[in-house]
Amino acid sequence: LILGWWSCVSRAPLRSNMAFACSNVRLLAAICAYAAISLSIAIFVKFGAVGASFWNPTARRLESPPPETSDVAVPADTVALASLRFERLAQAILARNESKGGESLELPSHYFHVFDDVSCQGPFPSVAQAREELKKSMSAPPVQVIEAMVQQGISQQQTTSKTFRDNLDSTPMLSSASYYLAAVHTTFDPKSASYSVCAAVTALEFKPTLAISRYTEVVHTEVDGEENCHCSMSSCSQCAVLRPRTASLPEFKPEVLSLEQQLGFGSWLEMRVANLIMKSLAIHVVV
């Protein structure tokens, strides 16, 4: 093609047939030249990209296909994270009660039986199993208290921190009633769809006919979740969300608790639960 093109260029004048042939040769030569240039550009782009990815590990990592993943979800160890958040819940309870001095309250043992328990368990693949295993790990308080606590404290597909208190009516056989305060944290890991739970509870069991004068509806401030707070340019802390809740509070007879003791009863209960959490985490009782 090159020789034909050159012969056409170098000859002058041209006969008509020769001119027609040379024009075809020129056209074919132009097409071949365009194809050769396009192929050279494609080869340069291809091998240039390969070379760039070879010398640039970041580019090679981004362009490489993602590794194959298994269909079987591997549960993350969220117990440690749940324990840290549980400790944060205890610190929030302590912070709002540090000036009330309720920790010095002593309940008369001939009227009250006091039960304390704390546990962290998980991860579990379902709320039902998390509740069941937590119930098995906490045997000190009355069964009905634990049952009420796990039902109210562990929520479906939620990471939550909460405190709540309630009065359980007297049981017909024992003619006894219970009043308790519970603090529960649940960490839900969406990647493995697993739950890790921590709970602490202090329950009082007493005979209503001997200890109680009446029950009154009282508004308490309870922890109900967390929110961002004290934010800087790069991060935020987590602070407890406090919400008002109404619950029945037992009003004890004067010979059981004095008016001053009665006023400090709620703070004593919260401080006891918070210290129960902190002590258990400090001595690695929670596993």
Coordinates of all heavy atoms in Angstrom, one line a residue, residues 142-203:
P142 N -36.9 -12.8 92.4 CA -38.1 -13.6 92.2 C -38.3 -13.8 90.6 O -38.0 -13.0 89.8 CB -39.2 -12.8 92.8 CG -38.5 -12.0 93.8 CD -37.2 -11.7 93.3
V143 N -38.8 -15.0 90.3 CA -38.9 -15.4 88.9 C -39.8 -14.4 88.1 O -39.5 -14.0 87.0 CB -39.5 -16.8 88.8 CG1 -39.8 -17.1 87.3 CG2 -38.6 -17.8 89.4
Q144 N -40.9 -13.9 88.8 CA -41.8 -13.0 88.1 C -41.1 -11.6 87.8 O -41.4 -11.0 86.8 CB -43.1 -12.8 88.9 CG -42.9 -12.1 90.2 CD -42.7 -13.0 91.3 OE1 -42.2 -14.1 91.1 NE2 -43.1 -12.7 92.5
V145 N -40.1 -11.3 88.6 CA -39.4 -10.0 88.3 C -38.5 -10.2 87.1 O -38.5 -9.3 86.2 CB -38.5 -9.6 89.6 CG1 -37.6 -8.5 89.2 CG2 -39.4 -9.2 90.7
I146 N -37.8 -11.3 87.0 CA -36.9 -11.6 85.9 C -37.7 -11.7 84.6 O -37.3 -11.1 83.5 CB -36.1 -12.8 86.1 CG1 -35.2 -12.7 87.3 CG2 -35.2 -13.2 84.9 CD1 -34.2 -11.6 87.2
E147 N -38.8 -12.3 84.7 CA -39.7 -12.5 83.5 C -40.2 -11.1 83.0 O -40.1 -10.8 81.8 CB -40.9 -13.3 83.8 CG -41.9 -13.6 82.7 CD -41.2 -14.5 81.6 OE1 -40.5 -15.4 82.0 OE2 -41.5 -14.2 80.4
A148 N -40.6 -10.3 83.9 CA -41.1 -8.9 83.5 C -39.9 -8.1 83.0 O -40.1 -7.3 82.0 CB -41.7 -8.2 84.7
M149 N -38.7 -8.2 83.5 CA -37.6 -7.5 83.1 C -37.1 -7.8 81.7 O -36.9 -6.9 80.9 CB -36.4 -7.7 84.1 CG -35.2 -6.9 83.8 SD -33.7 -7.4 84.7 CE -33.4 -9.0 84.1
V150 N -37.0 -9.1 81.4 CA -36.5 -9.4 80.0 C -37.6 -9.1 79.0 O -37.2 -8.8 77.8 CB -36.1 -10.9 80.0 CG1 -35.0 -11.2 80.9 CG2 -37.3 -11.8 80.2
Q151 N -38.8 -9.2 79.3 CA -39.9 -8.8 78.3 C -39.9 -7.3 78.0 O -40.0 -6.9 76.9 CB -41.3 -9.2 78.9 CG -41.5 -10.7 78.9 CD -41.4 -11.4 77.6 OE1 -41.8 -10.9 76.6 NE2 -40.9 -12.7 77.6
Q152 N -39.7 -6.5 79.0 CA -39.7 -5.1 78.8 C -38.4 -4.5 78.4 O -38.3 -3.5 77.7 CB -40.2 -4.4 80.1 CG -40.4 -2.9 80.0 CD -41.0 -2.3 81.2 OE1 -41.5 -3.0 82.1 NE2 -41.0 -1.0 81.3
G153 N -37.3 -5.2 78.7 CA -36.0 -4.6 78.5 C -35.3 -4.9 77.2 O -34.5 -4.1 76.7
I154 N -35.7 -6.0 76.5 CA -35.0 -6.4 75.3 C -36.0 -6.2 74.1 O -37.1 -6.8 74.1 CB -34.6 -7.9 75.3 CG1 -33.7 -8.1 76.6 CG2 -33.8 -8.3 74.1 CD1 -33.3 -9.6 76.8
S155 N -35.6 -5.4 73.2 CA -36.5 -5.1 72.0 C -36.0 -5.7 70.7 O -34.8 -6.0 70.6 CB -36.6 -3.5 71.9 OG -37.0 -2.9 73.1
Q156 N -36.9 -5.9 69.8 CA -36.6 -6.5 68.5 C -35.8 -5.5 67.6 O -36.2 -4.4 67.4 CB -37.9 -6.8 67.8 CG -37.7 -7.7 66.5 CD -37.5 -9.1 66.8 OE1 -37.9 -9.6 67.8 NE2 -36.8 -9.8 65.9
Q157 N -34.6 -6.0 67.2 CA -33.7 -5.2 66.2 C -33.5 -3.8 66.7 O -33.5 -2.9 65.9 CB -34.4 -5.2 64.8 CG -34.5 -6.6 64.2 CD -35.0 -6.6 62.8 OE1 -35.4 -5.6 62.3 NE2 -35.0 -7.7 62.2
Q158 N -33.1 -3.6 68.0 CA -32.8 -2.3 68.5 C -31.6 -2.4 69.4 O -31.5 -3.4 70.2 CB -34.0 -1.7 69.2 CG -35.2 -1.3 68.4 CD -36.3 -0.6 69.2 OE1 -36.1 -0.4 70.4 NE2 -37.4 -0.4 68.6
T159 N -30.8 -1.4 69.3 CA -29.7 -1.2 70.4 C -30.3 -0.1 71.3 O -30.5 1.0 70.9 CB -28.4 -0.7 69.7 OG1 -27.9 -1.7 68.9 CG2 -27.4 -0.3 70.8
T160 N -30.5 -0.5 72.6 CA -31.2 0.3 73.5 C -30.5 0.3 74.9 O -29.9 -0.8 75.3 CB -32.7 -0.1 73.7 OG1 -32.8 -1.4 74.1 CG2 -33.4 0.1 72.4
S161 N -30.6 1.3 75.6 CA -30.3 1.4 77.1 C -31.5 1.9 77.8 O -32.1 3.0 77.3 CB -29.1 2.3 77.3 OG -27.9 1.7 76.8
K162 N -31.9 1.3 78.8 CA -33.1 1.8 79.5 C -33.1 1.4 81.0 O -32.5 0.4 81.4 CB -34.4 1.3 78.8 CG -34.5 -0.2 78.7 CD -35.8 -0.6 78.1 CE -35.9 -0.3 76.6 NZ -37.1 -0.7 76.0
T163 N -33.8 2.1 81.8 CA -34.1 1.8 83.2 C -35.6 1.8 83.3 O -36.3 2.6 82.6 CB -33.5 2.7 84.2 OG1 -34.0 4.1 84.0 CG2 -32.0 2.8 84.0
F164 N -36.2 1.0 84.2 CA -37.6 1.0 84.5 C -37.8 0.3 85.8 O -37.0 -0.5 86.3 CB -38.4 0.3 83.3 CG -37.8 -1.1 82.9 CD1 -38.3 -2.2 83.5 CD2 -36.9 -1.2 82.0 CE1 -37.8 -3.5 83.2 CE2 -36.3 -2.4 81.6 CZ -36.8 -3.6 82.2
R165 N -38.9 0.7 86.4 CA -39.3 0.1 87.7 C -40.7 -0.2 87.7 O -41.5 0.4 87.0 CB -38.9 1.1 88.8 CG -39.7 2.4 88.8 CD -39.1 3.5 89.6 NE -38.0 4.1 88.9 CZ -37.0 4.7 89.4 NH1 -36.9 4.9 90.7 NH2 -36.0 5.3 88.7
D166 N -41.1 -1.1 88.6 CA -42.5 -1.5 88.6 C -42.8 -2.3 89.9 O -41.9 -2.8 90.6 CB -42.9 -2.4 87.4 CG -44.3 -2.4 87.1 OD1 -45.1 -1.8 87.8 OD2 -44.8 -3.1 86.1
N167 N -44.1 -2.3 90.2 CA -44.5 -3.1 91.4 C -45.3 -4.3 90.8 O -46.1 -4.2 90.0 CB -45.5 -2.2 92.2 CG -46.1 -3.0 93.3 OD1 -45.4 -3.3 94.3 ND2 -47.4 -3.3 93.2
L168 N -45.0 -5.5 91.4 CA -45.6 -6.7 91.0 C -46.6 -7.1 92.1 O -46.2 -7.1 93.3 CB -44.7 -7.8 90.7 CG -43.7 -7.6 89.5 CD1 -42.8 -8.8 89.4 CD2 -44.5 -7.4 88.3
D169 N -47.8 -7.3 91.7 CA -48.8 -7.6 92.8 C -48.5 -8.8 93.6 O -47.7 -9.7 93.2 CB -50.2 -7.8 92.1 CG -50.7 -6.5 91.4 OD1 -50.3 -5.5 91.9 OD2 -51.4 -6.6 90.4
S170 N -49.1 -8.9 94.7 CA -48.8 -10.0 95.6 C -49.2 -11.3 95.0 O -50.2 -11.4 94.3 CB -49.6 -9.8 97.0 OG -51.0 -9.7 96.7
T171 N -48.5 -12.4 95.3 CA -48.8 -13.7 94.8 C -49.7 -14.4 95.8 O -49.5 -14.2 97.1 CB -47.5 -14.5 94.7 OG1 -46.8 -14.5 96.0 CG2 -46.6 -13.9 93.7
P172 N -50.7 -15.1 95.4 CA -51.7 -15.6 96.3 C -51.1 -16.6 97.3 O -51.6 -16.6 98.5 CB -52.7 -16.4 95.4 CG -52.5 -15.7 94.0 CD -51.0 -15.3 94.0
M173 N -50.1 -17.4 96.9 CA -49.6 -18.4 97.9 C -48.8 -17.8 99.0 O -48.9 -18.1 100.1 CB -48.8 -19.5 97.1 CG -49.7 -20.3 96.1 SD -48.7 -21.6 95.3 CE -48.2 -22.5 96.7
L174 N -47.9 -16.9 98.5 CA -46.9 -16.3 99.5 C -47.5 -15.0 100.1 O -46.9 -14.6 101.1 CB -45.6 -16.1 98.9 CG -44.9 -17.3 98.3 CD1 -43.6 -16.9 97.6 CD2 -44.6 -18.3 99.4
S175 N -48.5 -14.5 99.6 CA -49.0 -13.2 100.0 C -47.9 -12.2 100.1 O -47.8 -11.4 101.1 CB -49.7 -13.4 101.4 OG -50.4 -12.1 101.7
S176 N -47.1 -12.1 99.1 CA -45.9 -11.2 99.1 C -46.0 -10.4 97.8 O -46.6 -10.8 96.8 CB -44.6 -11.9 99.2 OG -44.4 -12.8 98.1
A177 N -45.4 -9.2 97.8 CA -45.3 -8.4 96.6 C -43.8 -8.0 96.4 O -43.0 -8.2 97.3 CB -46.1 -7.1 96.8
S178 N -43.6 -7.6 95.2 CA -42.2 -7.2 94.8 C -42.2 -5.8 94.1 O -43.1 -5.5 93.4 CB -41.6 -8.2 93.8 OG -41.5 -9.5 94.4
Y179 N -41.2 -5.1 94.4 CA -40.9 -3.8 93.8 C -39.5 -3.8 93.3 O -38.6 -4.2 94.0 CB -41.2 -2.7 94.7 CG -41.1 -1.3 94.1 CD1 -42.1 -0.8 93.3 CD2 -39.9 -0.5 94.2 CE1 -42.0 0.5 92.7 CE2 -39.8 0.7 93.6 CZ -40.9 1.2 92.8 OH -40.8 2.4 92.2
Y180 N -39.3 -3.5 92.0 CA -37.9 -3.6 91.5 C -37.5 -2.5 90.6 O -38.4 -1.7 90.1 CB -37.8 -4.9 90.7 CG -38.6 -4.9 89.4 CD1 -37.9 -4.5 88.2 CD2 -39.9 -5.3 89.3 CE1 -38.6 -4.5 87.0 CE2 -40.6 -5.3 88.1 CZ -39.9 -4.9 87.0 OH -40.6 -4.9 85.8
L181 N -36.2 -2.3 90.4 CA -35.7 -1.4 89.4 C -34.7 -2.2 88.6 O -33.8 -2.9 89.1 CB -34.9 -0.2 90.1 CG -34.1 0.7 89.2 CD1 -35.1 1.5 88.3 CD2 -33.2 1.7 89.9
A182 N -34.8 -2.1 87.3 CA -33.9 -2.8 86.4 C -33.3 -1.8 85.4 O -33.8 -0.8 85.0 CB -34.8 -3.8 85.6
A183 N -32.0 -2.1 85.1 CA -31.3 -1.4 84.0 C -30.9 -2.4 83.0 O -30.2 -3.4 83.3 CB -30.0 -0.7 84.6
V184 N -31.2 -2.2 81.7 CA -31.0 -3.2 80.7 C -30.4 -2.5 79.5 O -30.9 -1.4 79.1 CB -32.3 -3.9 80.3 CG1 -32.0 -5.0 79.2 CG2 -33.0 -4.6 81.5
H185 N -29.3 -3.1 79.0 CA -28.8 -2.6 77.7 C -28.8 -3.8 76.7 O -28.4 -4.9 77.0 CB -27.4 -2.1 77.8 CG -26.8 -1.8 76.5 ND1 -27.1 -0.7 75.8 CD2 -25.9 -2.5 75.7 CE1 -26.5 -0.7 74.6 NE2 -25.8 -1.8 74.5
T186 N -29.2 -3.5 75.5 CA -29.2 -4.5 74.4 C -28.4 -3.9 73.2 O -28.6 -2.8 72.8 CB -30.6 -4.8 73.9 OG1 -31.4 -5.3 75.0 CG2 -30.6 -5.9 72.8
T187 N -27.4 -4.7 72.8 CA -26.7 -4.3 71.5 C -27.1 -5.2 70.4 O -26.9 -6.4 70.5 CB -25.1 -4.4 71.7 OG1 -24.7 -3.4 72.7 CG2 -24.4 -4.2 70.4
F188 N -27.7 -4.6 69.4 CA -28.1 -5.4 68.2 C -27.1 -5.1 67.1 O -26.8 -4.0 66.7 CB -29.5 -5.0 67.7 CG -29.9 -5.6 66.4 CD1 -30.1 -7.0 66.3 CD2 -30.0 -4.8 65.3 CE1 -30.5 -7.5 65.1 CE2 -30.4 -5.4 64.1 CZ -30.6 -6.8 64.0
D189 N -26.5 -6.2 66.6 CA -25.5 -6.1 65.5 C -26.3 -6.5 64.2 O -26.6 -7.7 63.9 CB -24.4 -7.1 65.7 CG -23.4 -7.0 64.6 OD1 -23.4 -6.1 63.8 OD2 -22.5 -8.0 64.5
P190 N -26.5 -5.5 63.3 CA -27.3 -5.8 62.1 C -26.6 -6.7 61.1 O -27.2 -7.4 60.3 CB -27.6 -4.4 61.5 CG -26.5 -3.5 62.1 CD -26.2 -4.1 63.5
K191 N -25.2 -6.7 61.1 CA -24.5 -7.5 60.2 C -24.7 -9.0 60.4 O -24.9 -9.8 59.5 CB -23.0 -7.2 60.2 CG -22.7 -5.8 59.8 CD -21.2 -5.5 59.8 CE -20.8 -4.1 59.3 NZ -19.4 -3.9 59.3
S192 N -24.7 -9.4 61.7 CA -24.9 -10.8 62.0 C -26.3 -11.1 62.6 O -26.6 -12.2 62.9 CB -23.9 -11.2 63.1 OG -24.0 -10.5 64.2
A193 N -27.1 -10.0 62.7 CA -28.5 -10.1 63.2 C -28.5 -10.8 64.6 O -29.2 -11.7 64.9 CB -29.4 -10.8 62.3
S194 N -27.5 -10.3 65.5 CA -27.4 -11.0 66.8 C -27.6 -9.9 67.9 O -27.4 -8.7 67.7 CB -26.0 -11.6 66.9 OG -25.0 -10.6 66.8
Y195 N -27.9 -10.5 69.1 CA -28.2 -9.7 70.2 C -27.2 -10.0 71.4 O -27.0 -11.2 71.7 CB -29.6 -9.9 70.7 CG -30.7 -9.5 69.7 CD1 -31.0 -10.4 68.7 CD2 -31.3 -8.3 69.7 CE1 -32.0 -10.1 67.8 CE2 -32.3 -8.0 68.8 CZ -32.6 -8.9 67.8 OH -33.6 -8.6 66.9
S196 N -26.7 -9.0 72.0 CA -25.9 -9.2 73.3 C -26.6 -8.3 74.3 O -26.9 -7.1 74.0 CB -24.5 -8.7 73.1 OG -23.8 -9.6 72.2
V197 N -26.8 -8.8 75.5 CA -27.7 -8.1 76.5 C -26.9 -8.1 77.8 O -26.2 -9.1 78.2 CB -29.0 -8.8 76.6 CG1 -29.8 -8.6 75.4 CG2 -28.9 -10.3 77.0
C198 N -27.1 -7.0 78.5 CA -26.6 -6.9 79.9 C -27.8 -6.3 80.7 O -28.6 -5.5 80.3 CB -25.5 -5.9 80.0 SG -24.0 -6.4 79.2
A199 N -27.9 -6.9 81.9 CA -29.1 -6.5 82.8 C -28.6 -6.5 84.2 O -27.8 -7.4 84.6 CB -30.3 -7.4 82.6
A200 N -29.1 -5.6 85.0 CA -28.9 -5.5 86.4 C -30.3 -5.2 87.1 O -31.0 -4.4 86.5 CB -27.9 -4.5 86.8
V201 N -30.6 -5.8 88.2 CA -31.8 -5.6 88.8 C -31.7 -5.7 90.4 O -30.9 -6.5 90.9 CB -32.9 -6.6 88.4 CG1 -32.5 -8.0 88.6 CG2 -34.3 -6.3 89.0
T202 N -32.4 -4.8 91.0 CA -32.5 -4.9 92.5 C -34.0 -5.0 92.8 O -34.8 -4.2 92.3 CB -32.0 -3.7 93.2 OG1 -30.5 -3.7 93.1 CG2 -32.3 -3.7 94.7
A203 N -34.4 -6.1 93.5 CA -35.8 -6.3 93.7 C -36.0 -6.4 95.2 O -35.2 -7.0 96.0 CB -36.3 -7.6 93.1

